Amino acid sequence: MDLSTKSQENIEYMIEAIKSKLRMASGAAMSASAFHVNQYDDIRDVYDIVMSKERLSISEVEALAQELGRLRNKA
């Protein structure tokens, strides 16, 4: 997938990948439709961090979930 294009489709892909990697129990609350394309760069940053790590600590998962929550609330 070409993530260089800022699109809702790419946001959906990244959010689903983040939820899968973080094994988020509250994944339903983290719907890609809650994010706007103008937040693309911030979502891409979170995606890149999550995908670059083999494993994430509990505190990292919590921090990333908080960041996604902050982005979702700004939409």
Side-chain angles (χ1 to χ4, degrees), residues 15-74:
I15 294 296
E16 290 304 315
I18 290 167
K19 288 190 319 190
S20 176
K21 181 92 176 204
L22 297 183
R23 295 183 185 101
M24 293 179 69
S26 61
M30 200 59 64
S31 172
S33 62
F35 299 91
H36 194 273
V37 174
N38 65 5
Q39 299 167 305
Y40 190 89
D41 292 328
D42 293 328
I43 295 166
R44 178 72 190 264
D45 289 342
V46 173
Y47 172 83
D48 288 342
I49 291 167
V50 170
M51 294 302 140
S52 71
K53 296 193 172 251
E54 180 73 25
R55 295 172 195 242
L56 293 153
S57 70
I58 292 171
S59 60
E60 287 173 316
V61 170
E62 289 173 353
L64 291 164
Q66 284 179 343
E67 179 62 15
L68 287 172
R70 185 186 66 79
L71 290 170
R72 184 183 72 226
N73 292 334
K74 283 176 61 176

